[in-house]
Amino acid sequence: MIKIELEDKGQDFLYFIIEKDKIIEAGPFQNGLWKGSYVPEKMLKVGGKVYIHKPPYINFGVLNYRIERMYEIQQIADK
């Protein structure tokens, strides 16, 4: 799993946890909106933008927030 932290421009989501090209958690808010979105892990890099796909709402889109940090994590705590 990879956790990416996004630059803060006042949006409600600041991080994504991604496993096998799918967002499994977003936070601190809007988890329900972003969860299940496709994000190609191979295209993620610090300083780059996030390419995202979640039909029918987002079709091959790009977020306007750059990745500030990214790192591997082992597991996420149950909520």
Side-chain angles (χ1 to χ4, degrees):
M1 279 185 277
I2 296 173
K3 182 173 184 177
I4 61 171
E5 296 176 0
L6 305 170
E7 67 182 329
D8 187 353
K9 291 187 174 182
Q11 73 275 22
D12 288 338
F13 56 96
L14 296 172
Y15 72 86
F16 294 138
I17 297 176
I18 301 164
E19 183 175 39
K20 297 179 184 174
D21 296 330
K22 296 280 183 180
I23 294 176
I24 60 170
E25 183 180 317
F29 304 103
Q30 298 187 356
N31 184 55
L33 176 69
W34 299 106
K35 189 174 182 176
S37 299
Y38 172 77
V39 175
E41 290 181 43
K42 291 180 182 180
M43 297 179 77
L44 298 174
K45 65 180 179 180
V46 173
K49 291 195 175 185
V50 179
Y51 295 88
I52 192 163
H53 183 65
K54 187 174 185 185
Y57 308 106
I58 303 169
N59 292 302
F60 305 104
V62 180
L63 296 181
N64 288 323
Y65 312 106
R66 296 201 179 275
I67 299 170
E68 286 193 338
R69 260 180 92 193
M70 65 185 277
Y71 48 93
E72 289 198 35
I73 60 174
Q74 295 301 316
Q75 63 185 20
I76 56 175
D78 291 332
K79 292 188 176 182

Coordinates of all heavy atoms in Angstrom, one line a residue:
M1 N 0.8 -1.2 0.0 CA 0.0 0.0 0.0 C 0.9 1.2 0.0 O 1.9 1.2 0.6 CB -0.9 0.0 1.2 CG -2.1 -0.8 1.2 SD -3.2 -0.6 2.6 CE -2.3 -1.7 3.7
I2 N 0.4 2.3 -0.6 CA 1.1 3.5 -0.7 C 0.2 4.6 -0.1 O -1.0 4.7 -0.4 CB 1.4 3.9 -2.2 CG1 2.4 2.9 -2.8 CG2 2.0 5.3 -2.3 CD1 2.6 3.0 -4.2
K3 N 0.8 5.5 0.7 CA 0.1 6.6 1.2 C 0.7 7.9 0.5 O 1.9 8.0 0.5 CB 0.2 6.8 2.7 CG -0.6 8.0 3.2 CD -0.7 8.0 4.7 CE -1.5 9.2 5.2 NZ -1.6 9.2 6.7
I4 N -0.2 8.7 -0.1 CA 0.3 9.9 -0.7 C -0.4 11.1 0.0 O -1.5 11.0 0.3 CB 0.0 10.0 -2.2 CG1 -1.5 9.9 -2.6 CG2 0.8 8.9 -3.0 CD1 -1.8 10.2 -4.0
E5 N 0.4 12.1 0.3 CA 0.0 13.3 1.0 C 0.0 14.4 -0.1 O 1.0 14.6 -0.7 CB 0.8 13.6 2.2 CG 0.7 12.5 3.2 CD 1.6 12.7 4.4 OE1 2.3 13.8 4.5 OE2 1.6 11.9 5.4
L6 N -1.1 15.1 -0.2 CA -1.2 16.2 -1.2 C -1.0 17.6 -0.6 O -1.2 17.8 0.6 CB -2.7 16.1 -1.7 CG -3.1 14.8 -2.3 CD1 -4.6 14.8 -2.6 CD2 -2.3 14.5 -3.6
E7 N -0.6 18.5 -1.4 CA -0.4 19.9 -1.0 C -1.8 20.4 -0.5 O -2.8 20.0 -1.0 CB 0.1 20.7 -2.1 CG -0.8 20.9 -3.3 CD -0.1 21.8 -4.4 OE1 0.7 22.6 -4.1 OE2 -0.5 21.5 -5.5
D8 N -1.8 21.2 0.5 CA -3.0 21.8 1.1 C -3.3 23.1 0.5 O -2.7 24.1 0.7 CB -2.8 21.9 2.6 CG -4.1 22.3 3.3 OD1 -5.1 22.5 2.6 OD2 -4.1 22.3 4.6
K9 N -4.4 23.1 -0.3 CA -5.0 24.3 -0.9 C -6.4 24.6 -0.4 O -7.2 25.2 -1.0 CB -5.0 24.2 -2.4 CG -3.6 24.2 -3.1 CD -3.7 24.3 -4.6 CE -2.4 24.5 -5.2 NZ -2.5 24.6 -6.7
G10 N -6.6 24.1 0.8 CA -7.9 24.3 1.5 C -9.0 23.2 1.1 O -10.1 23.3 1.5
Q11 N -8.6 22.2 0.4 CA -9.5 21.1 0.0 C -9.8 20.2 1.2 O -9.1 20.2 2.2 CB -9.0 20.3 -1.2 CG -7.9 19.3 -0.9 CD -6.5 20.0 -0.9 OE1 -6.3 21.2 -0.8 NE2 -5.5 19.1 -1.1
D12 N -10.8 19.4 1.2 CA -11.2 18.5 2.3 C -10.5 17.2 2.4 O -10.7 16.5 3.3 CB -12.7 18.2 2.2 CG -13.6 19.4 2.5 OD1 -13.1 20.3 3.2 OD2 -14.8 19.5 2.1
F13 N -9.7 16.9 1.4 CA -8.9 15.7 1.4 C -7.4 16.0 1.2 O -7.1 16.9 0.4 CB -9.4 14.7 0.3 CG -9.3 15.3 -1.1 CD1 -8.2 15.1 -1.9 CD2 -10.3 16.1 -1.6 CE1 -8.1 15.7 -3.2 CE2 -10.3 16.7 -2.8 CZ -9.2 16.4 -3.6
L14 N -6.6 15.4 2.1 CA -5.2 15.7 2.1 C -4.3 14.5 1.8 O -3.1 14.6 1.6 CB -4.8 16.3 3.4 CG -5.4 17.7 3.7 CD1 -5.1 18.1 5.1 CD2 -5.0 18.7 2.7
Y15 N -5.0 13.3 1.8 CA -4.2 12.1 1.6 C -5.1 11.0 0.9 O -6.3 11.0 1.1 CB -3.5 11.5 2.9 CG -4.5 10.9 3.8 CD1 -4.9 9.6 3.7 CD2 -5.1 11.6 4.9 CE1 -5.8 9.0 4.6 CE2 -6.0 11.1 5.7 CZ -6.3 9.7 5.6 OH -7.3 9.2 6.4
F16 N -4.4 10.1 0.2 CA -5.0 8.9 -0.3 C -4.2 7.7 0.1 O -2.9 7.8 0.1 CB -5.1 8.9 -1.8 CG -6.0 9.9 -2.4 CD1 -5.6 10.6 -3.6 CD2 -7.2 10.2 -1.9 CE1 -6.4 11.6 -4.1 CE2 -8.1 11.1 -2.5 CZ -7.6 11.8 -3.6
I17 N -4.8 6.6 0.5 CA -4.1 5.3 0.6 C -4.5 4.5 -0.6 O -5.7 4.3 -0.8 CB -4.4 4.7 2.0 CG1 -3.9 5.6 3.1 CG2 -3.8 3.3 2.0 CD1 -4.3 5.1 4.5
I18 N -3.5 4.0 -1.3 CA -3.7 3.3 -2.5 C -3.2 1.9 -2.5 O -2.1 1.7 -2.0 CB -3.1 4.1 -3.7 CG1 -3.6 5.5 -3.8 CG2 -3.2 3.4 -5.0 CD1 -2.8 6.5 -4.6
E19 N -4.0 0.9 -2.9 CA -3.6 -0.5 -3.0 C -4.0 -1.0 -4.3 O -5.2 -1.0 -4.7 CB -4.2 -1.3 -1.9 CG -3.7 -2.7 -1.8 CD -4.3 -3.5 -0.6 OE1 -5.5 -3.2 -0.3 OE2 -3.5 -4.3 -0.1
K20 N -3.0 -1.5 -5.1 CA -3.3 -2.1 -6.4 C -4.1 -1.2 -7.3 O -5.1 -1.5 -7.9 CB -4.0 -3.5 -6.3 CG -3.2 -4.5 -5.5 CD -4.0 -5.8 -5.4 CE -3.2 -6.8 -4.5 NZ -3.9 -8.0 -4.2
D21 N -3.6 0.1 -7.4 CA -4.2 1.1 -8.3 C -5.5 1.6 -7.9 O -6.2 2.3 -8.6 CB -4.2 0.7 -9.7 CG -2.8 0.4 -10.3 OD1 -1.8 1.1 -9.8 OD2 -2.7 -0.4 -11.2
K22 N -6.0 1.3 -6.7 CA -7.3 1.7 -6.2 C -7.2 2.5 -4.9 O -6.4 2.1 -4.0 CB -8.3 0.5 -6.0 CG -8.6 -0.3 -7.2 CD -9.7 0.4 -8.0 CE -10.1 -0.5 -9.1 NZ -11.1 0.1 -9.9
I23 N -7.9 3.6 -4.8 CA -8.0 4.3 -3.5 C -8.8 3.5 -2.5 O -10.0 3.2 -2.8 CB -8.5 5.7 -3.7 CG1 -7.6 6.6 -4.5 CG2 -8.7 6.4 -2.3 CD1 -8.1 7.9 -4.9
I24 N -8.2 3.1 -1.4 CA -8.9 2.4 -0.4 C -9.3 3.3 0.8 O -10.2 2.9 1.6 CB -8.2 1.1 0.1 CG1 -6.9 1.5 0.7 CG2 -8.1 0.2 -1.0 CD1 -6.2 0.3 1.4
E25 N -8.7 4.5 0.9 CA -9.0 5.4 1.9 C -8.6 6.8 1.5 O -7.5 7.0 0.9 CB -8.4 5.1 3.3 CG -8.8 6.0 4.4 CD -8.1 5.6 5.7 OE1 -8.1 4.5 6.1 OE2 -7.6 6.6 6.4
A26 N -9.4 7.8 1.8 CA -9.1 9.2 1.6 C -9.4 10.0 2.9 O -10.2 9.6 3.6 CB -9.9 9.8 0.4
G27 N -8.7 11.1 3.1 CA -9.0 11.8 4.3 C -8.4 13.2 4.4 O -7.6 13.5 3.5
P28 N -8.7 13.9 5.3 CA -9.5 13.5 6.5 C -11.0 13.5 6.2 O -11.8 12.9 7.0 CB -9.2 14.6 7.5 CG -8.8 15.8 6.8 CD -8.2 15.3 5.5
F29 N -11.5 14.0 5.1 CA -12.9 14.0 4.7 C -13.0 13.4 3.3 O -12.0 13.2 2.6 CB -13.5 15.4 4.8 CG -13.3 16.0 6.2 CD1 -12.4 17.0 6.4 CD2 -14.1 15.6 7.2 CE1 -12.2 17.6 7.6 CE2 -14.0 16.2 8.5 CZ -13.0 17.2 8.7
Q30 N -14.2 13.2 2.9 CA -14.6 12.8 1.5 C -14.1 11.4 1.2 O -14.0 11.0 0.0 CB -14.1 13.8 0.5 CG -14.7 15.1 0.6 CD -14.3 16.0 -0.5 OE1 -13.6 15.7 -1.4 NE2 -14.9 17.2 -0.5
N31 N -14.0 10.5 2.2 CA -13.6 9.1 1.9 C -14.6 8.5 1.0 O -14.2 7.8 0.0 CB -13.4 8.3 3.2 CG -12.9 6.9 3.0 OD1 -11.9 6.7 2.3 ND2 -13.7 6.0 3.4
G32 N -15.9 8.6 1.2 CA -16.9 8.0 0.4 C -16.8 8.5 -1.1 O -17.2 7.7 -2.0
L33 N -16.4 9.7 -1.3 CA -16.3 10.2 -2.7 C -15.2 9.6 -3.4 O -15.3 9.2 -4.6 CB -16.2 11.7 -2.6 CG -16.0 12.4 -4.0 CD1 -17.3 12.3 -4.8 CD2 -15.6 13.9 -3.8
W34 N -14.0 9.5 -2.8 CA -12.8 9.1 -3.5 C -12.5 7.6 -3.5 O -11.9 7.0 -4.4 CB -11.6 9.8 -3.0 CG -11.7 11.3 -3.1 CD1 -12.0 12.2 -2.2 CD2 -11.6 12.0 -4.4 NE1 -12.1 13.4 -2.7 CE2 -11.8 13.4 -4.1 CE3 -11.4 11.6 -5.7 CZ2 -11.8 14.3 -5.0 CZ3 -11.4 12.6 -6.7 CH2 -11.6 14.0 -6.3
K35 N -13.0 6.9 -2.5 CA -12.8 5.4 -2.3 C -13.2 4.7 -3.5 O -14.3 4.9 -4.1 CB -13.5 4.9 -1.1 CG -13.1 3.5 -0.7 CD -13.8 3.1 0.6 CE -13.4 1.7 1.0 NZ -14.0 1.4 2.3
G36 N -12.4 3.8 -4.0 CA -12.7 3.0 -5.2 C -12.2 3.6 -6.5 O -12.3 3.0 -7.6
S37 N -11.7 4.8 -6.5 CA -11.2 5.5 -7.7 C -9.9 4.8 -8.1 O -9.1 4.3 -7.3 CB -10.9 6.9 -7.4 OG -12.0 7.6 -7.0
Y38 N -9.7 4.7 -9.4 CA -8.5 4.1 -10.0 C -7.4 5.2 -10.1 O -7.7 6.3 -10.6 CB -8.8 3.6 -11.4 CG -7.6 3.1 -12.2 CD1 -7.0 1.9 -11.9 CD2 -7.1 3.9 -13.2 CE1 -5.9 1.5 -12.6 CE2 -5.9 3.5 -13.9 CZ -5.4 2.3 -13.6 OH -4.3 1.9 -14.3
V39 N -6.2 4.9 -9.6 CA -5.1 5.8 -9.7 C -3.9 4.9 -10.1 O -3.5 4.0 -9.3 CB -4.8 6.4 -8.3 CG1 -3.5 7.2 -8.3 CG2 -6.0 7.3 -7.8
P40 N -3.3 5.2 -11.3 CA -2.2 4.3 -11.7 C -0.9 4.6 -10.9 O -0.3 5.7 -11.0 CB -2.0 4.7 -13.2 CG -2.7 6.1 -13.3 CD -3.7 6.2 -12.3
E41 N -0.6 3.7 -10.0 CA 0.6 3.9 -9.1 C 1.9 4.2 -9.8 O 2.7 4.9 -9.3 CB 0.7 2.6 -8.3 CG -0.3 2.4 -7.2 CD -0.1 1.2 -6.4 OE1 1.0 1.0 -5.9 OE2 -1.1 0.5 -6.1
K42 N 2.0 3.6 -11.0 CA 3.3 3.8 -11.8 C 3.5 5.3 -12.1 O 4.6 5.7 -12.4 CB 3.3 3.0 -13.0 CG 3.4 1.5 -12.7 CD 3.5 0.7 -14.0 CE 3.5 -0.8 -13.6 NZ 3.6 -1.6 -14.8
M43 N 2.4 6.1 -12.1 CA 2.5 7.5 -12.5 C 2.6 8.4 -11.3 O 2.6 9.6 -11.5 CB 1.2 7.9 -13.4 CG 1.2 7.1 -14.7 SD -0.3 7.5 -15.7 CE 0.2 9.0 -16.4
L44 N 2.7 7.9 -10.2 CA 2.8 8.7 -9.0 C 4.2 9.1 -8.7 O 5.1 8.2 -8.7 CB 2.2 8.0 -7.7 CG 0.7 7.7 -7.8 CD1 0.3 6.8 -6.6 CD2 -0.2 8.9 -7.9
K45 N 4.5 10.3 -8.4 CA 5.8 10.8 -7.9 C 5.7 12.1 -7.2 O 4.8 12.9 -7.4 CB 6.7 11.0 -9.1 CG 6.3 12.1 -10.1 CD 7.3 12.2 -11.2 CE 6.8 13.3 -12.2 NZ 7.7 13.5 -13.3
V46 N 6.6 12.3 -6.2 CA 6.6 13.5 -5.4 C 6.8 14.7 -6.3 O 7.6 14.7 -7.2 CB 7.7 13.4 -4.3 CG1 7.8 14.7 -3.6 CG2 7.4 12.3 -3.4
G47 N 5.9 15.7 -6.2 CA 5.9 16.9 -7.0 C 5.0 16.8 -8.2 O 4.7 17.8 -8.9
G48 N 4.5 15.5 -8.5 CA 3.7 15.3 -9.6 C 2.2 15.4 -9.2 O 1.9 15.6 -8.0
K49 N 1.3 15.4 -10.2 CA -0.1 15.4 -9.9 C -0.7 14.0 -10.0 O 0.0 13.1 -10.4 CB -0.8 16.3 -11.0 CG -0.4 17.8 -10.8 CD -1.4 18.7 -11.6 CE -1.0 20.1 -11.3 NZ -2.0 21.0 -11.9
V50 N -1.9 13.9 -9.5 CA -2.6 12.6 -9.4 C -3.5 12.4 -10.6 O -4.4 13.2 -10.7 CB -3.3 12.5 -8.1 CG1 -4.0 11.1 -8.0 CG2 -2.4 12.7 -6.9
Y51 N -3.3 11.4 -11.3 CA -4.2 11.0 -12.4 C -5.3 10.1 -11.8 O -4.9 9.1 -11.1 CB -3.5 10.3 -13.6 CG -2.5 11.3 -14.2 CD1 -1.2 11.4 -13.7 CD2 -2.9 12.0 -15.3 CE1 -0.3 12.3 -14.3 CE2 -2.0 12.9 -15.9 CZ -0.7 13.1 -15.4 OH 0.1 14.0 -16.0
I52 N -6.5 10.3 -12.1 CA -7.6 9.6 -11.4 C -8.7 9.3 -12.3 O -9.0 10.1 -13.2 CB -8.0 10.4 -10.2 CG1 -8.9 9.6 -9.2 CG2 -8.6 11.8 -10.6 CD1 -9.0 10.2 -7.9
H53 N -9.4 8.2 -12.1 CA -10.5 7.7 -12.9 C -11.6 7.1 -12.1 O -11.3 6.2 -11.3 CB -10.0 6.7 -14.0 CG -11.0 6.3 -15.0 ND1 -11.6 7.1 -15.9 CD2 -11.6 5.0 -15.2 CE1 -12.5 6.4 -16.6 NE2 -12.5 5.1 -16.2
K54 N -12.8 7.7 -12.1 CA -13.9 7.1 -11.3 C -15.2 7.4 -12.1 O -15.9 8.4 -11.8 CB -14.0 7.6 -9.9 CG -15.0 6.9 -9.1 CD -15.0 7.3 -7.7 CE -16.1 6.4 -6.9 NZ -16.2 6.8 -5.5
P55 N -15.5 6.6 -13.1 CA -16.8 6.8 -13.8 C -18.0 6.7 -12.9 O -17.9 6.0 -11.9 CB -16.8 5.7 -14.9 CG -15.4 5.2 -14.9 CD -14.8 5.5 -13.6
P56 N -19.0 7.4 -13.1 CA -19.3 8.3 -14.3 C -18.9 9.7 -14.0 O -19.1 10.6 -14.8 CB -20.8 8.2 -14.5 CG -21.3 8.0 -13.1 CD -20.3 7.2 -12.4
Y57 N -18.3 10.0 -12.8 CA -18.1 11.4 -12.4 C -16.7 11.9 -12.9 O -16.6 13.1 -13.2 CB -18.1 11.5 -10.8 CG -19.4 10.9 -10.3 CD1 -19.4 9.6 -9.7 CD2 -20.6 11.5 -10.5 CE1 -20.6 9.1 -9.2 CE2 -21.8 11.0 -10.1 CZ -21.8 9.8 -9.4 OH -23.0 9.2 -9.0
I58 N -15.7 11.1 -12.8 CA -14.4 11.5 -13.2 C -13.9 10.6 -14.3 O -13.7 9.4 -14.0 CB -13.4 11.6 -12.0 CG1 -13.9 12.5 -10.9 CG2 -12.0 12.0 -12.5 CD1 -13.1 12.4 -9.6
N59 N -13.7 11.0 -15.5 CA -13.2 10.2 -16.5 C -11.8 10.7 -17.0 O -11.7 11.7 -17.6 CB -14.1 10.2 -17.7 CG -15.4 9.5 -17.4 OD1 -15.5 8.4 -17.0 ND2 -16.5 10.3 -17.5
F60 N -10.8 9.9 -16.6 CA -9.4 10.2 -16.9 C -9.0 11.6 -16.5 O -8.5 12.4 -17.3 CB -9.1 9.9 -18.4 CG -9.5 8.5 -18.8 CD1 -10.6 8.2 -19.5 CD2 -8.7 7.4 -18.4 CE1 -11.0 6.9 -19.8 CE2 -9.0 6.1 -18.7 CZ -10.2 5.9 -19.4
G61 N -9.3 12.0 -15.3 CA -9.0 13.3 -14.8 C -7.6 13.5 -14.1 O -6.9 12.5 -13.9
V62 N -7.3 14.7 -13.8 CA -6.1 15.1 -13.1 C -6.4 16.0 -12.0 O -7.1 17.0 -12.2 CB -5.1 15.7 -14.0 CG1 -3.8 16.1 -13.3 CG2 -4.8 14.9 -15.2
L63 N -6.0 15.7 -10.7 CA -6.3 16.6 -9.6 C -5.3 17.8 -9.7 O -4.2 17.7 -10.2 CB -6.1 15.8 -8.3 CG -7.0 14.7 -8.0 CD1 -6.7 14.1 -6.6 CD2 -8.5 15.1 -8.1
N64 N -5.8 18.9 -9.1 CA -5.0 20.1 -9.2 C -4.1 20.3 -7.9 O -3.8 21.4 -7.5 CB -5.9 21.4 -9.3 CG -6.6 21.5 -10.6 OD1 -5.9 21.2 -11.6 ND2 -7.8 21.9 -10.7
Y65 N -3.8 19.2 -7.3 CA -3.0 19.2 -6.1 C -1.8 18.3 -6.3 O -1.9 17.1 -6.7 CB -3.8 18.7 -4.9 CG -5.1 19.3 -4.8 CD1 -6.3 18.6 -5.1 CD2 -5.2 20.7 -4.4 CE1 -7.5 19.2 -5.1 CE2 -6.5 21.3 -4.4 CZ -7.6 20.6 -4.7 OH -8.8 21.2 -4.6
R66 N -0.6 18.8 -6.1 CA 0.6 18.0 -6.2 C 0.9 17.1 -5.0 O 0.4 17.4 -3.9 CB 1.8 19.0 -6.4 CG 1.7 19.8 -7.7 CD 3.0 20.3 -8.2 NE 2.8 21.1 -9.4 CZ 2.8 20.5 -10.6 NH1 2.9 19.2 -10.8 NH2 2.6 21.3 -11.7
I67 N 1.6 16.1 -5.3 CA 2.0 15.1 -4.2 C 3.2 15.7 -3.4 O 4.2 16.0 -4.0 CB 2.3 13.8 -4.8 CG1 1.2 13.2 -5.6 CG2 2.8 12.8 -3.7 CD1 1.5 11.9 -6.4
E68 N 3.0 15.9 -2.1 CA 4.1 16.4 -1.3 C 4.9 15.3 -0.7 O 6.1 15.4 -0.6 CB 3.5 17.2 -0.1 CG 3.0 18.6 -0.6 CD 2.8 19.5 0.6 OE1 2.6 19.1 1.7 OE2 2.7 20.7 0.3
R69 N 4.3 14.2 -0.4 CA 5.0 13.0 0.2 C 4.3 11.7 -0.2 O 3.1 11.7 -0.5 CB 4.8 13.0 1.7 CG 6.0 13.6 2.5 CD 5.8 13.6 4.0 NE 6.2 12.3 4.5 CZ 6.0 11.8 5.7 NH1 5.2 12.5 6.5 NH2 6.5 10.7 6.1
M70 N 5.1 10.7 -0.4 CA 4.5 9.4 -0.6 C 5.4 8.3 0.0 O 6.7 8.5 -0.1 CB 4.2 9.1 -2.1 CG 5.4 9.1 -3.0 SD 4.9 8.9 -4.8 CE 4.6 7.2 -4.9
Y71 N 4.8 7.3 0.5 CA 5.6 6.3 1.2 C 4.7 5.0 1.3 O 3.5 5.1 1.3 CB 6.1 6.7 2.6 CG 5.1 7.4 3.4 CD1 4.3 6.6 4.4 CD2 4.8 8.7 3.3 CE1 3.4 7.2 5.2 CE2 3.9 9.3 4.1 CZ 3.1 8.6 5.0 OH 2.2 9.2 5.8
E72 N 5.4 3.9 1.5 CA 4.7 2.6 1.6 C 4.3 2.4 3.1 O 5.0 2.8 4.0 CB 5.6 1.5 1.2 CG 5.8 1.4 -0.3 CD 6.3 0.1 -0.8 OE1 5.9 -0.9 -0.2 OE2 7.0 0.1 -1.8
I73 N 3.1 1.9 3.3 CA 2.6 1.5 4.6 C 2.2 0.0 4.6 O 1.9 -0.5 3.5 CB 1.5 2.4 5.1 CG1 0.3 2.3 4.1 CG2 1.9 3.9 5.2 CD1 -1.0 3.0 4.6
Q74 N 2.2 -0.6 5.8 CA 1.9 -2.0 5.9 C 0.4 -2.3 5.9 O -0.1 -3.1 5.2 CB 2.6 -2.6 7.1 CG 4.1 -2.5 7.0 CD 4.6 -3.3 5.8 OE1 4.2 -4.4 5.6 NE2 5.6 -2.7 5.1
Q75 N -0.3 -1.5 6.7 CA -1.8 -1.8 6.8 C -2.4 -0.5 7.4 O -1.7 0.3 8.0 CB -2.1 -3.0 7.7 CG -1.6 -2.8 9.1 CD -1.8 -4.1 10.0 OE1 -2.0 -5.1 9.4 NE2 -1.9 -3.9 11.3
I76 N -3.7 -0.4 7.3 CA -4.4 0.7 7.9 C -5.3 0.2 9.1 O -5.7 -1.0 9.0 CB -5.3 1.4 6.9 CG1 -6.3 0.5 6.2 CG2 -4.5 2.1 5.9 CD1 -7.3 1.2 5.3
A77 N -5.4 1.0 10.0 CA -6.2 0.6 11.2 C -7.7 0.5 10.9 O -8.2 1.3 10.1 CB -6.0 1.6 12.3
D78 N -8.4 -0.5 11.4 CA -9.8 -0.6 11.2 C -10.5 0.6 11.9 O -10.1 1.0 13.0 CB -10.4 -1.9 11.8 CG -9.9 -3.1 11.0 OD1 -9.6 -2.9 9.8 OD2 -9.8 -4.2 11.6
K79 N -11.6 1.1 11.2 CA -12.3 2.2 11.8 C -13.7 1.7 12.3 O -14.3 0.9 11.8 CB -12.5 3.3 10.8 CG -11.1 3.9 10.5 CD -11.3 5.1 9.6 CE -10.0 5.8 9.4 NZ -10.1 7.0 8.6

